[in-house]
Amino acid sequence: MGAGRAGASVGGEADSRVCFAYFYLMKADPDRVRVVAPRHASYWRDLQLAHYLGGPFDDRTGGLITFDADDAAQAQRAVREDPFVLEGLVEARWLKQWTPASG
């Protein structure tokens, strides 16, 4: 997936983690989604991934999560083990390495 972004970290060591954007669209099954949503939210919070930011779209048709991971394999594993994915509630999903611009 390409080179990671480097930045300052605690102790002056380079941070070699890579930023990812995970965009997903839900299947039209609002009752099941409502039941699984708390488990999905807990799962992502409990991973404690650096720079995690996520949430649903206002119309609840899907969501967007951004986070840093050590590599593409770690990011793919996080998505693969998402309760929405495990329960078959995701219609489509994209995981892309992302380079956010600042300032």
Side-chain angles (χ1 to χ4, degrees):
M1 284 218 161
R5 70 186 168 145
S9 66
V10 177
E13 295 177 23
D15 181 357
S16 63
R17 287 180 286 200
V18 182
C19 187
F20 289 89
Y22 169 42
F23 177 95
Y24 59 95
L25 298 173
M26 304 303 295
K27 290 185 177 177
D29 194 344
D31 292 336
R32 283 187 58 221
V33 169
R34 217 176 345 271
V35 168
V36 177
R39 218 168 74 226
H40 160 83
S42 280
Y43 167 78
W44 282 97
R45 277 192 311 272
D46 291 350
L47 286 176
Q48 297 183 343
L49 296 166
H51 300 111
Y52 164 81
L53 181 63
F57 300 133
D58 282 345
D59 64 3
R60 300 292 201 233
T61 58
L64 175 66
I65 298 172
T66 61
F67 60 94
D68 287 1
D70 292 334
D71 54 31
Q74 181 188 28
Q76 291 165 353
R77 190 171 41 258
V79 168
R80 189 174 53 246
E81 295 173 5
D82 180 337
F84 279 160
V85 173
L86 294 175
E87 294 290 334
L89 292 169
V90 175
E91 182 72 33
R93 64 184 182 190
W94 297 267
L95 177 66
K96 302 292 279 182
Q97 186 173 329
W98 179 46
T99 305
S102 61

